[in-house]
Amino acid sequence: MKTLSKLLAIAAAFGLAPSIAAAATAALPTAQSAPIEQANAQAPAPTAGEAATPAPAAATPPPPARTAPTPSIGQPDGRYGLQDQVTEFGQEAAWFHNIILMPLITLISLFVLALLGWVMFRYRRGANPTPSRTSHNTTLEVVWTLVPVLILVVIAVPSIRLLAHQYAPPAADLTIKATGNQWNWGYEYPDHGIEFTANMLPDDQADARGEPRQLAADERVVVPVGAVVKVIVTSSDVIHAWGIPAFWVKIDAVPGRLNETWFRAERPGVYYGVCYELCGARHGYMPIAVEVVTQEQFRAWVASRGGTMPGTARPAPAPAPAVAAGGSTASTPAPANVVAAAAAPATTNQSAPTN
């Protein structure tokens, strides 16, 4: 009996040991966390004035001063000829027009007029009652065939060279998307994060700014001088046309289609254009104003519109300062919790495998 009692006592002692160990383990974190909770309870809570406030956002700089237009530059001035060209292929086109086309057209027109006058006077019925019966003249037929061909060749060579320069642009420094609407222009600078809509200025506001009537816009397209500007043109409704005569640029804006042109202005200033397609009742009230500025002015304009230059990251907002014990703000964020909680197993619709 004594032996049996000893065996039962030993078994009971071994059976109670795990329970005692588990109870001791559960009580350990509670006892360790008590001083931390007491310290937190004794620490004063931060007041409303001591609460952490987010860092103020950087103020947007003011836009640079608007460039005043120069009379007779970039706008109509009553002349019969072309406007002064400020792009390379515009100057080439003006030379082609003034040096080759206009003299050639003038000579041909005078020659035809003189020929008609001579025939009317020399071969009238009173002076020539018996008409000529000539039906074939080889020399005359060769001349009136070769001369027009030579004229077309003279015109074709500089014309094809001009088209090649106009529609084979170099690598673009700046891209602008122009969208024609009834009746205004929408612009996007995809590389700078800028977007706006340009409408015509009323006559009184245009006069106050010293700008031409029905050509001034409330928002200008701003580009740097000497930069290759690619213009992607489309429309949201009907066919429009975007163009600047001083740049020798004009291209249709077709719904559902992206047309492309380019220019490189070599002179700062303000240049005006209009919609060149009959797009509706207010077709004549869709002006285009392009302001060519220096590189520094362009950077300032981009910053004033909330945009960024290509390759420049947008500034990240400053993190809110952490609140330390006693209500003072700490310059460094609070350390992360080093004890990671075990993730709970995901619940699925699959049953547990059975043995």
Side-chain angles (χ1 to χ4, degrees), residues 115-139:
L115 185 61
L116 286 175
W118 180 72
V119 170
M120 292 170 61
F121 177 78
R122 172 66 179 81
Y123 295 103
R124 71 185 191 277
R125 179 177 295 182
N128 189 28
T130 303
S132 173
R133 299 296 181 182
T134 301
S135 60
H136 184 74
N137 189 316
T138 303
T139 302

Side-chain angles (χ1 to χ4, degrees), residues 16 47 64 78 114 125 139 148 154 157-158 174 188 199-200 214 219 221 236 265 267 271 274 299 308 329 332 348 351:
L16 292 176
T47 62
R125 179 177 295 182
T139 302
V154 170
V157 172
L174 173 66
E188 298 178 30
N199 293 278
M200 188 185 74
Q214 293 188 352
E219 294 282 358
V221 178
S236 63
R267 180 185 185 278
Y271 304 92
V274 295
R299 290 177 180 272
T308 56
T329 57
T332 57
T348 65
S351 60

Side-chain angles (χ1 to χ4, degrees), residues 88 193 196 211 230 270 286 296 302 319:
E88 181 180 355
F196 58 88
E211 300 191 54
K230 178 170 67 174
V270 185
M286 291 182 60
E296 292 75 15
V302 170

Side-chain angles (χ1 to χ4, degrees), residues 296-315:
E296 292 75 15
Q297 291 175 315
F298 179 72
R299 290 177 180 272
W301 178 81
V302 170
S304 69
R305 301 306 296 255
T308 56
M309 299 297 294
T312 303
R314 291 181 178 271

Side-chain angles (χ1 to χ4, degrees), residues 86-243:
V86 297
T87 61
E88 181 180 355
F89 61 81
Q91 295 169 1
E92 181 181 352
W95 175 87
F96 178 44
H97 175 272
N98 297 332
I99 304 302
I100 295 182
L101 290 183
M102 288 303 297
L104 188 59
I105 291 172
T106 302
L107 290 175
I108 292 174
S109 299
L110 292 176
F111 173 76
V112 172
L113 179 62
L115 185 61
L116 286 175
W118 180 72
V119 170
M120 292 170 61
F121 177 78
R122 172 66 179 81
Y123 295 103
R124 71 185 191 277
R125 179 177 295 182
N128 189 28
T130 303
S132 173
R133 299 296 181 182
T134 301
S135 60
H136 184 74
N137 189 316
T138 303
T139 302
L140 186 61
E141 292 178 355
V142 170
V143 169
W144 74 35
T145 301
L146 289 181
V147 169
V149 171
L150 293 177
I151 292 175
L152 291 177
V153 170
V154 170
I155 295 175
V157 172
S159 178
I160 294 175
R161 184 175 64 246
L162 175 61
L163 289 174
H165 292 170
Q166 189 169 357
Y167 293 99
D173 301 317
L174 173 66
T175 300
I176 300 174
K177 181 181 179 182
T179 304
N181 310 303
Q182 289 183 320
W183 285 271
N184 56 40
W185 290 97
Y187 295 100
E188 298 178 30
Y189 288 67
D191 298 330
H192 300 78
I194 299 174
E195 184 175 354
F196 58 88
T197 301
N199 293 278
M200 188 185 74
L201 276 180
D203 291 348
D204 55 344
Q205 297 184 26
D207 184 66
R209 294 184 180 183
E211 300 191 54
R213 175 178 174 267
Q214 293 188 352
L215 288 177
D218 58 352
E219 294 282 358
R220 293 175 176 175
V221 178
V222 181
V223 299
V225 64
V228 177
V229 181
K230 178 170 67 174
V231 185
I232 301 174
V233 184
T234 187
S235 171
S236 63
D237 35 51
V238 298
I239 298 179
H240 302 274
W242 195 91

